[in-house]
Amino acid sequence: MSAERRLAGVPASPGLAAGPARHWTAATALDAARVEPPERPAAVVEANTALQTAAAEVEALAAGLNEADAEILITGVLMAADPTLLAGVERAILDQGLSAAAAILSSTEEQAALLDSLGDEMLAARASDVRSLGHRAARLASGGSDGPASRPTEGIIVAHDLGPADVAELGTAISAIALASGGITGHAAIVARSLGIPMVVGVGAALLALPEGAEVIVDGDAGAVLADPEVGHFEAARSASAARQQATQQAKAMSSLPAVTRDGVRVVVLANVAGAAEVEAALGAGAEGVGLLRTELSFLDRSSWPTALDHRLFFEPILAPLEGRTATVRLLDFGGDKTPPFLSGQHGRGIDILLRHPGALRDQLSAMLAAGRGTHLHVLVPMVYEVRQLRAVRAALTESAAAAGVPVPLLGAMIEVPAAVTLADQVVREVDFLSIGTNDLTALQLGLDRAEPGAKPAHHPAVLRLIDTVCRAAHAVGVTVAVCGESASDPTAMPLLLGLGVDELSVGSSRVGRVRAWVRAVDHAEATALAGLALLAESAQDVEKLVEPLRTALLAS
Amino acid sequence: MMDAATITTWMNEIAGAVRAERDYLIQLDAAIGDGDHGINMTRGFDAVVRALAQEEDGTPGKLLTLAGKTLVSSVGGASGPLWGSALRRGGRALGDAPTFDDGKLVEALQAALAAVVDLGAAVLGDKTMVDAMDPAVATLRREVDAGTVLPVALRRAAEAAEVGMRATIPLQARKGRASYLGERSIGHQDPGATSTALIVRALERTVAGSQ
């Protein structure tokens, strides 16, 4: 019997999982064999080709994938073509006789170590990307024997570091990820979160000493890895992890079941996404399309407005799988905590900023119209508070659509500022659909700081009354209402939203299956009755009491 | 035995009764609420009558459920959700059978009362519709169990509802909008209990008229 050991790390993606440790050594098993001088020039060519191929692979994966910024990944890719790196690789081969793979690894590691040593979090994240690229290229150079097929496909993935592209490739079949290092800004972590994979980073070298196949627990909430876990702990974690996998499987299996309430009301369930991996996961779980594509997250560290080409590269991998489906693209929502360097000091948020830069708006519109040709494209305007903004966007949209020779897509307003609710009767006449952003709406209505932790109860009667006003105004003129905030996948708020008349729910891709199951468990008339009473309640707690029996039933469904 | 026609007639009777007493209900509600109870009840049961008229054939359970659903979706305030849930729960208790007997009617009304109590979290003496509904259901149950013929049992139930209704006058409201008035709610008859008494009376007329 060995005692349970706790290896402390940093929580990166929530959830508890147990399983056998699977080391992803990522091309560290190198042939130490020296390359003879006559073959060295060929090895240099081989190394350059491997770096180029790896760069192309990462670029393709990254363009779609990141809730973090493509910019950083692209920087990693550019580094693969960096003359300093290439020179280093060349010297390592020609002078020291290293193999192509070994030369790539040592040179990228040198670059990464340099970035690490600067003590800047952003640059440390870049170091991860450079390492990840190096490993990828090294695998290619050593004959691709460590290609996707031979990588671990299940269990707990243990590695020194992973890039976001690696996490996306590992997919949802694995139970969890534990990294010895890992940038704190964590691009890999963002991908893990969006795929619902528990992850702990910064565990330290002790992690890599775990024997292959050893049973371990990853606690993504506490940020720890438990080695030699006690039987009770292991079983509890394994059942949590089995339940999560089962839920994913079940969501897949039930993805063909319609999202219809017990009394026959159809509810459209869509996904909130920022990249192609999430689109794939969401469609697999039965999402009918995308209800919110966040477009600004990839450009947060930009030093200038993204170009039409940047937008095309971003949109194409995301919109391609959405052919024939709803693709709701939100215009760049910069400002507040999402202010890139090139906008620092500018006031306003969302559409206000974009309207001050009509060229930037046109670039994004023309790119989405081109990339979204086969989809049912919906254009969503962020942070609307008056109809002037909607008219300006519609004018630009009509013009861009005419230029692209495509029909004008549907136009919608985000309802996330109470002012837009007060003016709802005006707003609904300018749009084809509405999407309520309950996170901001709740914070602004209740005077809470959005960035502060703590409860943001969208089921507060003061917020529910706003939603009720919006639904009534919209339905009076035949405009559909979606909710794309956290509340759409909250078991207390979700039935009330349906009861108030919300037509569509857009939720995180890992929650699509669950929310569809809830829809099937809800009786729409019962939800309407509860919502009617919730509007009269005096506090969020009163509403919680009212919904408690239904909430319990949903969680058990 | 009662059937689908009983439900349709009952709903028609209610619609007529709340329309006739619309101004009275408004007046009662204006004293301790926001004055819309008479309007809400009239609009709601008119919508029910329209919905049932479009339902060619349905079991009594289905019709009562539809009536509840219509109330829930067409009436604001608390009365729509509460009466709507009550009728839906009652409809479910009637099941799929084409007819129902006295015992089944008692079961359905008991389920309806339970729905109101569950949702509104009100108990006897809170100055709400429960004050009229609870004694009516209890009386009906007792009379039916004792073998009283249904029209008579329903008349006693309706009387019990009216006693409960009047008993709300000296009470202080503890639930709903009227509770904001605190002691000032004392001395006024509760509009929800009043419309409840009208609804029980309408059932009595329905059954008496068909026998």
Side-chain angles (χ1 to χ4, degrees), chain A residues 262-263 265 465 472 523 525-526 528-530 532-533 536 538 546, chain B residues 69 72-73 77-78 81-82 85 88 92 119-120 176-177 179-180:
Chain A
R262 275 163 49 193
D263 49 347
V265 177
R465 287 188 183 197
R472 284 172 192 280
D523 181 307
E526 184 187 347
T528 308
L530 285 177
L533 294 172
L536 303 172
E538 295 175 352
L546 195 63
Chain B
K69 198 170 168 174
V72 163
S73 56
L82 290 174
S85 300
R88 291 179 67 244
R92 277 218 293 278
L119 275 177
R177 194 183 286 265
S179 65
Y180 306 162

Short mmCIF file of all heavy atoms in Angstrom, two decimals, chain A residues 262-263 265 465 472 523 525-526 528-530 532-533 536 538 546, chain B residues 69 72-73 77-78 81-82 85 88 92 119-120 176-177 179-180:
data_model
loop_
_atom_site.label_atom_id
_atom_site.label_comp_id
_atom_site.label_asym_id
_atom_site.label_seq_id
_atom_site.Cartn_x
_atom_site.Cartn_y
_atom_site.Cartn_z
N ARG A 262 -42.17 18.62 -23.13
CA ARG A 262 -43.11 17.51 -22.93
C ARG A 262 -44.46 17.81 -23.56
O ARG A 262 -45.16 16.90 -23.99
CB ARG A 262 -43.27 17.23 -21.44
CG ARG A 262 -42.19 16.30 -20.93
CD ARG A 262 -42.07 16.33 -19.43
NE ARG A 262 -43.34 16.18 -18.77
CZ ARG A 262 -43.54 16.41 -17.48
NH1 ARG A 262 -42.54 16.82 -16.73
NH2 ARG A 262 -44.72 16.24 -16.95
N ASP A 263 -44.82 19.11 -23.60
CA ASP A 263 -46.11 19.44 -24.20
C ASP A 263 -45.96 19.96 -25.63
O ASP A 263 -46.82 20.70 -26.11
CB ASP A 263 -46.90 20.40 -23.31
CG ASP A 263 -46.08 21.60 -22.85
OD1 ASP A 263 -44.84 21.57 -23.01
OD2 ASP A 263 -46.67 22.55 -22.33
N VAL A 265 -43.69 21.93 -27.42
CA VAL A 265 -43.17 23.20 -27.92
C VAL A 265 -41.70 23.01 -28.33
O VAL A 265 -40.89 22.52 -27.56
CB VAL A 265 -43.27 24.30 -26.83
CG1 VAL A 265 -42.65 25.60 -27.33
CG2 VAL A 265 -44.72 24.50 -26.43
N ARG A 465 -38.16 40.61 -15.48
CA ARG A 465 -39.12 41.57 -16.04
C ARG A 465 -38.57 42.23 -17.30
O ARG A 465 -39.33 42.53 -18.23
CB ARG A 465 -39.48 42.63 -14.99
CG ARG A 465 -40.38 42.06 -13.90
CD ARG A 465 -40.88 43.14 -12.98
NE ARG A 465 -41.68 42.55 -11.91
CZ ARG A 465 -42.51 43.24 -11.15
NH1 ARG A 465 -42.66 44.54 -11.35
NH2 ARG A 465 -43.19 42.64 -10.20
N ARG A 472 -42.22 40.26 -25.13
CA ARG A 472 -43.52 40.79 -25.56
C ARG A 472 -43.36 41.72 -26.76
O ARG A 472 -44.09 41.62 -27.74
CB ARG A 472 -44.19 41.55 -24.41
CG ARG A 472 -44.78 40.62 -23.38
CD ARG A 472 -45.27 41.40 -22.16
NE ARG A 472 -45.56 40.46 -21.10
CZ ARG A 472 -46.68 39.75 -21.02
NH1 ARG A 472 -47.61 39.92 -21.93
NH2 ARG A 472 -46.87 38.89 -20.05
N ASP A 523 -42.12 20.96 -19.05
CA ASP A 523 -43.47 21.16 -19.56
C ASP A 523 -43.60 22.67 -19.78
O ASP A 523 -43.47 23.46 -18.84
CB ASP A 523 -44.46 20.64 -18.51
CG ASP A 523 -45.90 20.80 -18.96
OD1 ASP A 523 -46.30 21.91 -19.36
OD2 ASP A 523 -46.64 19.81 -18.91
N ALA A 525 -46.05 24.70 -20.47
CA ALA A 525 -47.11 25.42 -19.77
C ALA A 525 -46.77 25.58 -18.29
O ALA A 525 -47.03 26.63 -17.69
CB ALA A 525 -48.44 24.68 -19.93
N GLU A 526 -46.12 24.56 -17.72
CA GLU A 526 -45.71 24.67 -16.32
C GLU A 526 -44.65 25.76 -16.18
O GLU A 526 -44.68 26.57 -15.25
CB GLU A 526 -45.15 23.32 -15.84
CG GLU A 526 -44.79 23.32 -14.37
CD GLU A 526 -44.08 22.03 -13.94
OE1 GLU A 526 -44.10 21.05 -14.70
OE2 GLU A 526 -43.50 22.04 -12.85
N THR A 528 -44.35 28.31 -18.08
CA THR A 528 -45.02 29.61 -18.25
C THR A 528 -45.68 30.04 -16.94
O THR A 528 -45.61 31.22 -16.56
CB THR A 528 -46.08 29.51 -19.37
OG1 THR A 528 -45.45 28.97 -20.53
CG2 THR A 528 -46.65 30.87 -19.70
N ALA A 529 -46.30 29.10 -16.25
CA ALA A 529 -46.93 29.41 -14.97
C ALA A 529 -45.88 29.87 -13.96
O ALA A 529 -46.06 30.88 -13.27
CB ALA A 529 -47.68 28.19 -14.44
N LEU A 530 -44.77 29.14 -13.90
CA LEU A 530 -43.70 29.51 -12.97
C LEU A 530 -43.15 30.89 -13.30
O LEU A 530 -42.90 31.71 -12.42
CB LEU A 530 -42.56 28.49 -13.03
CG LEU A 530 -42.81 27.15 -12.36
CD1 LEU A 530 -41.61 26.23 -12.58
CD2 LEU A 530 -43.05 27.34 -10.87
N GLY A 532 -44.67 33.31 -14.79
CA GLY A 532 -45.65 34.33 -14.43
C GLY A 532 -45.56 34.67 -12.95
O GLY A 532 -45.62 35.83 -12.56
N LEU A 533 -45.37 33.65 -12.11
CA LEU A 533 -45.25 33.89 -10.68
C LEU A 533 -43.89 34.49 -10.34
O LEU A 533 -43.78 35.33 -9.43
CB LEU A 533 -45.46 32.58 -9.91
CG LEU A 533 -46.88 32.01 -10.03
CD1 LEU A 533 -46.95 30.63 -9.40
CD2 LEU A 533 -47.90 32.94 -9.37
N LEU A 536 -43.63 38.11 -10.31
CA LEU A 536 -44.22 38.77 -9.15
C LEU A 536 -43.40 38.58 -7.89
O LEU A 536 -43.70 39.15 -6.84
CB LEU A 536 -45.64 38.22 -8.91
CG LEU A 536 -46.60 38.34 -10.09
CD1 LEU A 536 -47.90 37.60 -9.79
CD2 LEU A 536 -46.90 39.81 -10.37
N GLU A 538 -40.28 38.68 -5.14
CA GLU A 538 -39.62 39.89 -4.62
C GLU A 538 -38.11 39.79 -4.60
O GLU A 538 -37.41 40.77 -4.35
CB GLU A 538 -40.13 40.15 -3.21
CG GLU A 538 -41.62 40.48 -3.19
CD GLU A 538 -42.17 40.63 -1.80
OE1 GLU A 538 -41.45 40.34 -0.83
OE2 GLU A 538 -43.34 41.05 -1.68
N LEU A 546 -39.37 28.93 -5.81
CA LEU A 546 -40.45 28.61 -6.74
C LEU A 546 -40.02 27.54 -7.75
O LEU A 546 -40.78 26.63 -8.08
CB LEU A 546 -40.83 29.91 -7.47
CG LEU A 546 -42.12 30.01 -8.24
CD1 LEU A 546 -43.29 29.85 -7.30
CD2 LEU A 546 -42.18 31.39 -8.91
N LYS B 69 -53.86 25.53 -19.70
CA LYS B 69 -52.76 26.00 -20.52
C LYS B 69 -53.10 27.38 -21.11
O LYS B 69 -52.26 28.28 -21.16
CB LYS B 69 -52.53 24.99 -21.65
CG LYS B 69 -51.21 25.10 -22.30
CD LYS B 69 -50.98 23.92 -23.22
CE LYS B 69 -49.76 24.22 -24.07
NZ LYS B 69 -49.37 23.11 -24.90
N VAL B 72 -52.77 30.03 -18.42
CA VAL B 72 -51.36 30.32 -18.12
C VAL B 72 -50.78 31.28 -19.15
O VAL B 72 -50.08 32.22 -18.82
CB VAL B 72 -50.54 29.01 -18.10
CG1 VAL B 72 -49.06 29.31 -18.20
CG2 VAL B 72 -50.82 28.23 -16.83
N SER B 73 -51.13 31.04 -20.42
CA SER B 73 -50.48 31.84 -21.45
C SER B 73 -51.22 33.12 -21.78
O SER B 73 -50.69 33.96 -22.50
CB SER B 73 -50.27 31.00 -22.71
OG SER B 73 -51.50 30.49 -23.15
N GLY B 77 -50.33 38.63 -14.12
CA GLY B 77 -50.54 38.57 -12.69
C GLY B 77 -50.44 37.15 -12.18
O GLY B 77 -50.04 36.26 -12.92
N ALA B 78 -50.82 36.95 -10.93
CA ALA B 78 -50.67 35.62 -10.34
C ALA B 78 -51.83 34.71 -10.68
O ALA B 78 -51.70 33.50 -10.69
CB ALA B 78 -50.53 35.74 -8.83
N PRO B 81 -51.25 32.11 -13.85
CA PRO B 81 -50.42 30.95 -13.52
C PRO B 81 -51.05 30.04 -12.48
O PRO B 81 -50.99 28.81 -12.60
CB PRO B 81 -49.14 31.58 -12.98
CG PRO B 81 -49.08 32.94 -13.59
CD PRO B 81 -50.50 33.38 -13.78
N LEU B 82 -51.70 30.63 -11.46
CA LEU B 82 -52.22 29.79 -10.39
C LEU B 82 -53.44 29.00 -10.85
O LEU B 82 -53.50 27.78 -10.71
CB LEU B 82 -52.57 30.65 -9.16
CG LEU B 82 -51.36 31.22 -8.42
CD1 LEU B 82 -51.80 32.17 -7.31
CD2 LEU B 82 -50.50 30.09 -7.85
N SER B 85 -52.39 26.49 -13.59
CA SER B 85 -51.75 25.28 -13.06
C SER B 85 -52.77 24.39 -12.38
O SER B 85 -52.71 23.16 -12.48
CB SER B 85 -50.64 25.65 -12.08
OG SER B 85 -49.67 26.43 -12.74
N ARG B 88 -54.78 22.56 -15.03
CA ARG B 88 -53.95 21.55 -15.71
C ARG B 88 -53.76 20.33 -14.81
O ARG B 88 -53.86 19.20 -15.25
CB ARG B 88 -52.60 22.14 -16.09
CG ARG B 88 -52.69 23.18 -17.20
CD ARG B 88 -51.35 23.76 -17.53
NE ARG B 88 -50.46 22.78 -18.12
CZ ARG B 88 -49.34 22.36 -17.59
NH1 ARG B 88 -48.93 22.83 -16.44
NH2 ARG B 88 -48.62 21.46 -18.20
N ARG B 92 -55.02 16.56 -15.51
CA ARG B 92 -54.19 15.36 -15.48
C ARG B 92 -54.80 14.30 -14.58
O ARG B 92 -54.75 13.11 -14.87
CB ARG B 92 -52.78 15.72 -15.01
CG ARG B 92 -51.89 16.25 -16.12
CD ARG B 92 -50.46 15.77 -15.98
NE ARG B 92 -49.80 16.32 -14.81
CZ ARG B 92 -49.24 17.54 -14.79
NH1 ARG B 92 -49.27 18.30 -15.86
NH2 ARG B 92 -48.65 17.98 -13.71
N LEU B 119 -47.59 26.04 -5.63
CA LEU B 119 -47.01 27.17 -6.37
C LEU B 119 -47.03 28.46 -5.57
O LEU B 119 -46.07 29.20 -5.53
CB LEU B 119 -47.78 27.39 -7.66
CG LEU B 119 -47.36 26.55 -8.86
CD1 LEU B 119 -48.28 26.85 -10.01
CD2 LEU B 119 -45.92 26.85 -9.23
N GLY B 120 -48.19 28.72 -4.95
CA GLY B 120 -48.35 29.98 -4.26
C GLY B 120 -47.79 29.95 -2.85
O GLY B 120 -47.62 30.98 -2.23
N GLY B 176 -48.82 37.64 -1.82
CA GLY B 176 -49.22 38.45 -2.97
C GLY B 176 -49.12 39.94 -2.71
O GLY B 176 -48.65 40.39 -1.67
N ARG B 177 -49.62 40.68 -3.71
CA ARG B 177 -49.48 42.13 -3.68
C ARG B 177 -50.18 42.76 -2.46
O ARG B 177 -49.70 43.75 -1.92
CB ARG B 177 -50.05 42.70 -4.97
CG ARG B 177 -49.68 44.13 -5.23
CD ARG B 177 -50.37 44.62 -6.48
NE ARG B 177 -49.78 44.07 -7.68
CZ ARG B 177 -48.84 44.71 -8.39
NH1 ARG B 177 -48.41 45.87 -8.00
NH2 ARG B 177 -48.36 44.17 -9.47
N SER B 179 -50.28 41.82 0.41
CA SER B 179 -49.50 41.75 1.65
C SER B 179 -48.65 43.00 1.85
O SER B 179 -48.23 43.30 2.96
CB SER B 179 -48.61 40.50 1.64
OG SER B 179 -47.64 40.60 0.62
N TYR B 180 -48.39 43.76 0.75
CA TYR B 180 -47.60 45.00 0.90
C TYR B 180 -48.33 46.00 1.79
O TYR B 180 -47.72 46.88 2.38
CB TYR B 180 -47.35 45.68 -0.46
CG TYR B 180 -46.71 44.81 -1.51
CD1 TYR B 180 -46.77 45.17 -2.86
CD2 TYR B 180 -46.04 43.64 -1.18
CE1 TYR B 180 -46.19 44.39 -3.84
CE2 TYR B 180 -45.46 42.84 -2.15
CZ TYR B 180 -45.54 43.22 -3.48
OH TYR B 180 -44.98 42.45 -4.44
#
